[in-house]
Every structure is written in C-alpha cells, then in structure tokens.
Amino acid sequence: MKARELRSAFTTFFEKRGHEVVPSSSLIPHDDTILFTNAGMVPFKNYFLGIENPPYKRATTVQKCVRAGGKHNDLDEVGRTSRHLTFFEMMGNFSFGDYFKEDAIPLAWEFFTKVLQLDPERLWVTVHHTDDEAAQIWEEKVGVPPDRIQRLGEDNWWRMADTGPNGPCSEIFWDKGEKYGPPGGPENPASDERYVEIWNLVFMQYDQQADGEQIPLPKPSIDTGAGLERVLSVIQNVDAVWELDEFQTLLEAAESITGVTKDHENSNLISLQILVDHARSSSFLISDGVIPSNEDRGYVLRRIVRRAVRHAYLLGVEKPVMSDLADAVI
Ligand code: SER
C-alpha cells in the first residue's frame, strides 16, 4: 500500500462511520500557544473547548504537521532514529462530545487489524496508569491479552501545549521484532527502536490553565493521531521511514544534488536524511507562508534551513543545495 492509498483507506473508513472528511489545515495555526500545527487536533481546539460549535460531531483528517519547536520538538532526533521527522502527516479521527473511549478504542483496532490486516499479536498498547476504564476496554471489548497492555505515567497524558486541551491517552505500538531490541514491551526504555508507537488515542477531558488548574471540558472528546509515515513503514515492512518509496526518491535526489552517496559512511547517511527531512519541512512551511526571519516561527524555519546547510557542509558540499532539494520535494 502506498501513501495515497493509506490516506484514502483511513478517511474512507471513518467517513463510512459518520465522520466528516476535512482537508488538512495550514501549518500556521490560528493559535498563539504554539508555533506550528503540531497535531491533527490543532484546527479543532475551539471545538474541544466549547468556544465554537462544530458543524459536525465527528471528523477525520490527514493533517500536515511540523514538530520543530515548543512542546513537541523532534528536531534533534531527525536523521538519527528510524522514525522521527520534523514534517509528517497525521491521520486522525475526532469526536467533539460525541463518542468516547468505548468506541474510539475498538475503531482503531478494527482499522489496524481488519482494514490494514496488521498482525494483532505484534500490537501492544499502553494506557495512563490511572485509566482502568481504557485498560478494561482493551482487554474485555477488544480482546488484547493483559500482558500486552502496559500502564505508563506522563507518556500517556497528551497535551497540545502548556495550556489548553489535554487528557489521558492510549498508544498502540508495533513490535518490529527481537532483532531491534530487548523484549518487555513499550514500557522498556531500552527497546524504543523495537516497539514503535503508531497510533495515539487521546481522551480529551481537560483545559489546562496557565496556573496549572485543570478545568473539565464541556464534553469528553476524542482526538487520535497515527503518523502516516510510521504506519506506512509497518505496511511496507521497512526498517525505517527513510526506506519508504517517497523518501527513497528524495534520498536519491539528495545524493545526486550533493554528489555524495549514502552508503559511503553512516554519518553521510544521517546528513542525507537530515537534508531530506529539512527540505520537506522547509518547503511545506514556506508554501504555507512562513518566511525565514529572526523571530518566532520564521526563526525556527531559519534554524531548519541553517541546519540543513550545515549538514551539506559536513558532506563537503558548499554550493547551495536547498532550492534543488525543494524542487525534488515539490
Ligand atoms: N494529539 C495526539 C498526538 O498528537 C493524538 O492525535 O499524539
């Protein structure tokens, strides 16, 4: 399955279950608590908070996201791990005061195991340590064996920013197999390359104030997010997002633009991956209207471009490469 087919399988599944298919919003959010749209729920923040009335109670999107500053910042991980990207697409389904966890959990399971036909024995789930209800739904309604349901602390509490909508969450992980790390499930910190988080189901319940007070939302709601590139790497059975066909094309472009081959040395590969990721995020940011500058989101964009250029230098390339890489992305 290719990216285009996965996007469509996801939104069609939820459309058939009463969700409005809403196009991706801009990477520039209408919100001053964050610099970039960092999750699928961002455009819907006011619906969760009850500030605006949603025109639909259920929605599904494939949202462009950038995580390169603020609370959700993956900039330093990119290129060094198999799965972090500063720009990615997040597939999500949302309920604005309509269904809650007893429906959201089985829906996610059905999509993964029936539509994508992922092997259920390789799926693990985590829940917040206080969330007995979610653990029970996983075990009794879905049938996940209790030894593959683990309880975590802060990792299973999702917040959009320092203030705003938040709540306990439940994550679904894919076990890549013993060759990628020790056993023990996602709670084992030594096996984060083995158990890869592929879907996060957030049970939105609170609006956090600047002083830390948690005000209950008008209605409990659902916000889920599954990284398109991570799910694709499971379906296409590749070790890392970099091996997906879309990234391979860009890596080949980066090799030909820089004249450096990726199998030369491992550090070359990391720099080429960083060039590819940063070319994607900077191209999409500029196309949504962000301009490199010395403040706010423009400054983050400048840092991304500068970091890419630094990695071109590390590869021994001092001629400009970013505009050619942007052409490859486009
Ligand atoms: N907002 C949650 C996340 O970004 C689920 O979409 O992980």
Side-chain angles (χ1 to χ4, degrees):
M1 192 182 265
K2 303 266 190 200
R4 194 182 300 265
E5 292 157 329
L6 177 57
R7 289 189 197 96
S8 147
F10 189 91
T11 53
T12 305
F13 176 84
F14 284 102
E15 188 179 23
K16 284 194 183 137
R17 288 156 183 82
H19 294 65
E20 179 81 13
V21 182
V22 180
S24 174
S25 290
S26 169
L27 287 167
I28 304 180
H30 291 283
D31 189 286
D32 56 13
T33 64
I34 46 174
L35 290 176
F36 304 116
T37 301
N38 60 17
M41 56 72 63
V42 169
F44 304 125
K45 177 180 175 184
N46 285 347
Y47 299 164
F48 290 117
L49 297 180
I51 295 172
E52 282 176 58
N53 269 331
Y56 28 73
K57 292 206 143 157
R58 302 169 175 210
T60 181
T61 59
V62 182
Q63 173 64 49
K64 297 178 274 187
C65 296
V66 163
R67 291 192 172 176
K71 190 158 198 66
H72 299 280
N73 184 356
D74 291 335
L75 192 56
D76 292 332
E77 315 281 359
V78 169
R80 303 175 201 286
T81 74
S82 63
R83 62 196 186 284
H84 287 96
L85 297 166
T86 54
F87 171 85
F88 63 99
E89 293 175 74
M90 187 182 275
M91 305 180 289
N93 59 292
F94 308 91
S95 148
F96 310 116
D98 190 35
Y99 63 88
F100 199 44
K101 48 182 114 165
E102 57 290 346
D103 292 313
I105 290 174
L107 278 173
W109 192 257
E110 184 184 348
F111 182 74
F112 268 172
T113 60
K114 298 284 182 319
V115 179
L116 301 188
Q117 304 203 326
L118 302 188
D119 178 357
E121 312 239 311
R122 292 176 69 180
L123 294 171
W124 288 65
V125 299
T126 60
V127 298
H128 191 251
H129 64 86
T130 58
D131 199 349
D132 295 335
E133 195 188 353
Q136 197 177 357
I137 296 167
W138 280 118
E139 191 179 335
E140 290 171 14
K141 199 161 170 181
V142 175
V144 176
D147 59 353
R148 275 194 279 117
I149 305 171
Q150 298 185 325
R151 290 175 185 248
L152 299 179
E154 263 303 291
D155 280 350
N156 275 125
W157 196 283
W158 198 84
R159 295 175 166 79
M160 172 181 145
D162 293 331
T163 57
N166 66 95
C169 61
S170 179
E171 296 173 302
I172 308 179
F173 291 78
W174 176 251
D175 179 1
K176 288 168 76 178
E178 58 192 21
K179 144 169 152 212
Y180 298 88
E187 75 179 5
N188 180 357
S191 43
D192 65 338
E193 280 288 342
R194 170 166 176 176
Y195 301 97
V196 181
E197 183 224 321
I198 50 175
W199 205 341
N200 186 17
L201 318 178
V202 184
F203 313 125
M204 285 292 190
Q205 275 164 275
Y206 303 101
D207 175 14
Q208 182 161 328
Q209 309 299 296
D211 64 4
E213 190 194 351
Q214 290 276 36
I215 299 181
L217 294 180
K219 289 184 185 151
S221 294
I222 290 294
D223 150 36
T224 86
L228 177 95
E229 296 81 356
R230 290 190 186 187
V231 177
L232 270 181
S233 37
V234 171
I235 301 172
Q236 293 187 11
N237 196 23
V238 294
D239 278 355
V241 290
W242 312 107
E243 288 165 39
L244 295 171
D245 44 357
E246 295 185 46
F247 284 89
Q248 283 298 312
T249 311
L250 290 176
L251 278 168
E252 278 159 27
E255 287 181 291
S256 106
I257 292 162
T258 59
V260 173
T261 51
K262 59 179 190 274
D263 41 30
H264 226 219
E265 275 175 54
N266 192 35
S267 61
N268 281 356
L269 180 59
I270 291 176
S271 288
L272 287 166
Q273 288 171 172
I274 289 174
L275 277 174
V276 163
D277 169 82
H278 290 13
R280 271 169 43 109
S281 50
S282 50
S283 302
F284 276 93
L285 283 169
I286 292 167
S287 97
D288 275 355
V290 184
I291 301 294
S293 72
N294 54 8
E295 56 186 13
D296 296 334
R297 56 181 72 91
Y299 180 65
V300 177
L301 171 58
R302 199 173 82 172
R303 276 189 62 205
I304 295 173
V305 174
R306 217 160 49 186
R307 199 161 175 270
V309 171
R310 184 155 48 83
H311 279 276
Y313 270 60
L314 286 175
L315 294 173
V317 182
E318 295 193 3
K319 64 171 190 181
V321 295
M322 288 307 279
S323 61
D324 288 343
L325 283 167
D327 274 344
V329 172
I330 293 160

